[in-house]
């Protein structure tokens, strides 16, 4: 196998429905090297969430292969971390206990004490110091999402899967969390796949943006992002960002099948 | 519990008693039409031994029936909550069973198991109270958002682990809501059987003997005793809910 940590080749998948099978993915390709961070964008309903479930091993594709770390994915692996748009924190646990949840499932060499220290360290990293003993219901949406992020990386997963984690947040909170993501990635390196609807988010966070076509989704376009280094929000307003966003927006329109309709002259 | 939390319900009860007494006095009802609160202490004083014995019988049968309903209700709820097929198969059956007025089942059960008075009574208390528990547990489990499952399933957790760590605790608030309904229903079941069954025991039988002897103060005294037991059992459930599902109570948001 190649040196890519995540390798998805020719994946095809369909769901059975009342009116026959509904293909959602057809010809999906995705390669993410170790330490890479890929953002996947595409029209709504194009099977992006199916993609996350495939990588996590929660389902198997009808055709094609999903490789993680040079191993064919056959079922759930404890080397994956997931965070969703809905932070799904357990209301009956404190924030600290919520973050420690994966360590109760995944085999770990850490003692209880070390596990707790690690959870506390992560919470401090995302700015939740002092909230360890609070209940999820006492936290704002953005804070809950930060806690959810800590939970997804507490067991040092090889692959972090983020399924529109910032989708339900207001614009300011979202930009705060983007910066938190950079901080987390610097301190706790991970290989990640980010599903998003937000093109600005994709070029701000990822080093590779993958555009999926409309249903059934195939990989339509891949863009390498070179906004590397110390990214801050101002980078989104440089001419090179504007150009990247323009290209992506155009690709999305093609994916939606709208370009011809809007530009009849072509 | 603060002073206010005791004082407010207590004064409401006192006010209710005063209004009741006033209503009887204003209308000049003799106590074979409607007993008044002032008739109750003499009734309790005269029959206090009977009240203790019969009250205890009603209480333990109700509690045993309720415990059976909890065990069976949770089991049925789990089966229907996890399997769509079982849900489709059992729901109509269950709704139909629940729609039958239990008062009509009482004579059938009494004839089926003649003489087994304890068993009959517990059976009716159980039959009348398991339904809300089964429905609430099944709804709680079947509406569990898939992300909750995915969080643990993606780490390779087994179905049992997911049930104990997430599904069960998440269903507790619904379960306790149903249990509050089931408590009062169980009392109805116990008393139905105690009243109808010949040579019955328990507060229901005491009520029946009050009826036969035209002892109206006794009949009302039984009703109040039942109400008191219902209140006590209800608050036991509330206390358990505070312990096991207290997290579901939101503090005022800010």
């Amino acid at each position: 196998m190649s040196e890519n940590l995540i390798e998805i080749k020719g994946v095809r998948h369909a769901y059975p429905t009342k009116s026959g099978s509904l293909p959602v993915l057809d010809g999906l390709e995705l390669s993410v090297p170790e330490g890479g961070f890929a953002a996947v964008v595409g029209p709504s309903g194009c099977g992006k969430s199916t993609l996350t479930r495939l990588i996590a091993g929660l389902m198997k594709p009808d055709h094609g292969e999903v490789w993680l770390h040079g191993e064919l994915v056959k079922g759930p692996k404890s080397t994956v971390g997931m965070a969703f748009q809905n932070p799904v924190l357990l209301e009956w646990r404190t924030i600290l206990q919520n973050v420690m949840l994966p360590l109760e499932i995944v085999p770990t060499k850490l003692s209880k004490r070390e596990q707790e220290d690690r959870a506390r360290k992560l919470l401090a990293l995302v700015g939740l110091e002092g909230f360890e003993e609070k209940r999820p219901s006492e936290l704002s949406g953005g804070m809950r999402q930060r806690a959810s992020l800590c939970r997804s990386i507490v067991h040092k997963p090889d692959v972090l899967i983020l399924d529109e984690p910032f989708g339900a947040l207001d614009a300011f909170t979202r930009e705060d969390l983007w910066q938190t993501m950079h901080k987390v990635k610097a301190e706790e390196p991970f290989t990640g796949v980010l599903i998003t609807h937000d093109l600005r988010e994709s070029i701000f966070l990822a080093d590779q943006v993958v555009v999926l076509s409309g249903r059934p989704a195939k990989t339509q376009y891949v863009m390498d992002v070179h906004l590397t280094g110390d990214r801050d929000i101002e980078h989104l307003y440089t001419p090179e960002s504007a150009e990247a966003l323009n290209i992506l927006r155009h690709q999305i329109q093609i994916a939606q099948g709208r370009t011809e309709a809007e530009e009849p002259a072509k | 519990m603060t002073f206010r939390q005791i004082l407010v319900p207590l004064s409401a009860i006192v006010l209710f008693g005063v209004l009741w007494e006033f209503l009887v006095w204003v209308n000049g009802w003799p106590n074979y039409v409607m007993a008044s609160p002032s008739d109750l202490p003499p009734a309790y004083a005269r029959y206090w031994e009977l009240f203790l014995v019969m009250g205890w019988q009603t209480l333990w049968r109700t509690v045993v029936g309720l415990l059976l309903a909890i065990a069976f209700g949770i089991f049925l709820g789990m089966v229907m909550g996890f399997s769509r097929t079982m849900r489709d198969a059992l729901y109509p059956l269950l709704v139909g069973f629940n729609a039958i007025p239990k008062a009509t089942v009482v004579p059938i059960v009494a004839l089926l198991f003649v003489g087994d008075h304890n068993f009959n009574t517990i059976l009716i208390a159980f039959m009348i109270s398991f339904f809300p528990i089964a429905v609430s547990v099944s709804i709680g489990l079947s509406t569990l958002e898939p992300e909750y499952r995915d969080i643990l399933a993606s780490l390779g957790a087994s179905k049992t682990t997911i049930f104990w760590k997430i599904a069960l605790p998440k269903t507790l608030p619904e379960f306790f809501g149903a249990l509050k309904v089931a408590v009062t229903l169980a009392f109805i079941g116990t008393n139905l059987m105690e009243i109808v069954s010949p040579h019955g025991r328990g507060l229901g039988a005491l009520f029946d003997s009050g009826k036969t002897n035209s002892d109206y103060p006794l009949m009302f005294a039984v009703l109040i005793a039942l109400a008191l037991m219902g209140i006590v059992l209800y608050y036991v459930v509330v206390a358990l809910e505070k312990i096991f599902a207290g997290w579901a109570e939101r503090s005022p948001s800010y």
Side-chain angles (χ1 to χ4, degrees):
Chain A
M1 279 309 303
S2 64
E3 65 272 38
N4 282 324
L5 198 140
I6 306 173
E7 189 77 61
I8 297 180
K9 291 205 233 156
V11 158
R12 198 137 50 99
H13 194 80
Y15 288 106
T17 63
K18 275 179 208 134
S19 49
S21 88
L22 175 75
V24 283
L25 299 175
D26 193 359
L28 189 82
E29 312 279 337
L30 180 71
S31 312
V32 187
E34 178 140 23
F37 197 3
V40 178
V41 297
S44 10
C46 78
K48 296 192 291 287
S49 291
T50 306
L51 174 63
T52 63
R53 297 177 60 82
L54 287 173
I55 301 173
L58 291 169
M59 50 191 266
K60 272 182 227 153
D62 295 343
H63 293 276
E65 292 168 349
V66 179
W67 295 77
L68 284 190
H69 248 330
E71 253 182 83
L72 194 61
V73 173
K74 290 194 180 113
K77 299 195 68 168
S78 51
T79 50
V80 164
M82 288 184 103
F84 308 94
Q85 178 168 347
N86 177 354
V88 288
L89 297 175
L90 312 183
E91 295 289 343
W92 54 94
R93 289 171 169 240
T94 63
I95 293 301
L96 186 68
Q97 290 168 334
N98 262 291
V99 172
M100 288 169 70
L101 178 72
L103 298 174
E104 296 166 24
I105 312 293
V106 176
T108 171
K109 287 190 209 85
L110 299 179
S111 68
K112 264 272 170 279
R113 182 82 230 158
E114 290 167 319
Q115 291 179 16
E116 200 184 307
D117 287 346
R118 170 153 175 80
R120 283 182 192 278
K121 193 188 123 209
L122 288 177
L123 283 169
L125 180 64
V126 301
L128 282 182
E129 205 166 4
F131 291 92
E132 292 88 349
E133 302 306 325
K134 295 260 190 252
R135 302 270 167 178
S137 58
E138 297 174 275
L139 266 58
S140 69
M143 289 156 100
R144 273 182 240 181
Q145 204 49 263
R146 283 169 202 268
S148 161
L149 195 63
C150 289
R151 179 179 58 188
S152 66
I153 56 174
V154 72
H155 54 299
K156 303 199 184 206
D158 286 344
V159 178
L160 179 62
I161 304 166
L162 302 169
D163 191 350
E164 296 187 41
F166 316 123
L169 303 175
D170 66 85
F172 301 118
T173 312
R174 196 180 308 163
E175 289 185 0
D176 270 354
L177 268 146
W178 291 351
Q179 269 152 342
T180 304
M181 276 307 293
H182 276 303
K183 219 163 105 191
V184 168
K185 189 143 181 11
E187 294 280 322
E188 296 271 336
F190 58 79
T191 308
V193 176
L194 168 74
I195 309 289
T196 180
H197 274 124
D198 188 333
L199 296 180
R200 291 164 72 237
E201 179 173 302
S202 73
I203 64 162
F204 187 68
L205 290 179
D207 41 38
Q208 182 193 152
V209 180
V210 178
V211 181
L212 298 188
S213 66
R215 206 160 55 205
K218 64 169 192 300
T219 304
Q220 175 183 301
Y221 182 79
V222 179
M223 173 192 267
D224 286 320
V225 184
H226 298 295
L227 301 172
T228 42
D230 227 12
R231 293 188 201 184
D232 58 51
I233 297 290
E234 267 130 62
H235 275 201
L236 284 174
Y237 301 95
T238 58
E240 71 178 309
S241 294
E243 199 199 324
L245 283 174
N246 252 331
I247 297 170
L248 288 174
R249 197 166 293 126
H250 182 69
Q251 286 295 332
I252 292 284
Q253 282 171 354
I254 296 173
Q256 290 171 321
R258 279 223 307 243
T259 30
E260 284 79 12
E262 280 175 12
E263 297 167 72
K266 271 191 181 171
Chain B
M1 211 179 251
T2 63
F3 182 61
R4 194 182 159 278
Q5 275 174 306
I6 299 170
L7 193 71
V8 170
L10 207 64
S11 32
I13 290 172
V14 170
L15 194 68
F16 174 78
V18 168
L19 278 177
W20 177 4
E21 185 78 45
F22 177 75
L23 199 68
V24 174
W25 177 76
V26 150
N27 287 294
W29 284 326
N31 67 11
Y32 54 84
V33 173
M34 176 98 173
S36 59
S38 57
D39 293 330
L40 299 180
Y44 286 126
R46 222 165 117 198
Y47 302 111
W48 66 272
E49 247 172 315
L50 274 178
F51 268 100
L52 281 184
V53 174
M54 302 296 202
W56 166 245
Q57 291 191 340
T58 299
L59 185 65
W60 79 257
R61 288 182 191 134
T62 307
V63 171
V64 170
L66 198 60
L67 290 177
L68 287 176
I70 291 172
F72 183 70
I74 290 179
F75 169 74
L76 204 63
M78 273 172 64
V79 169
M80 293 196 302
F82 283 130
S83 156
R84 238 206 111 75
T85 319
M86 291 308 272
R87 191 152 67 242
D88 291 345
L90 292 179
Y91 246 114
L93 209 62
L94 207 58
V95 171
F97 181 79
N98 191 52
I100 299 172
K102 292 301 168 293
T104 60
V105 182
V106 167
I108 297 173
V109 169
L111 281 177
L112 252 177
F113 309 103
V114 177
D116 281 327
H117 185 63
N118 286 338
F119 177 79
N120 287 344
T121 313
I122 291 167
L123 186 64
I124 293 291
F126 157 77
M127 287 205 302
I128 207 170
S129 58
F130 80 87
F131 182 76
I133 298 175
V135 169
S136 73
V137 170
S138 84
I139 288 176
L141 291 180
S142 63
T143 54
L144 184 73
E145 293 95 326
E147 287 101 330
Y148 280 100
R149 217 165 302 153
D150 288 353
I151 283 286
L152 288 190
S154 65
L155 298 171
S158 68
K159 271 209 154 79
T160 332
T161 310
I162 295 173
F163 176 75
W164 284 111
K165 285 208 186 287
I166 293 186
L168 182 73
K170 204 166 162 42
T171 311
L172 279 182
E174 279 103 336
F175 167 75
F176 276 107
L179 193 54
K180 287 177 189 166
V181 178
V183 163
T184 40
L185 285 178
F187 268 110
I188 296 175
T190 322
N191 279 279
L192 271 178
M193 184 50 98
E194 286 173 351
I195 290 171
V196 169
S197 179
H199 319 299
R201 275 168 294 176
L203 287 179
L206 194 60
F207 178 85
D208 201 43
S209 81
K211 200 178 78 186
T212 332
N213 299 316
S214 306
D215 191 343
Y216 295 90
L218 174 61
M219 289 164 72
F220 275 86
V222 168
L223 296 189
I224 299 300
L226 281 172
L228 281 176
M229 277 165 53
I231 291 173
V232 169
L233 219 51
Y234 181 87
Y235 278 102
V236 168
V237 173
V238 170
L240 289 174
E241 184 185 26
K242 271 231 155 56
I243 295 169
F244 291 109
W247 50 266
E249 209 170 289
R250 297 289 167 102
S251 48
S253 57
Y254 45 86

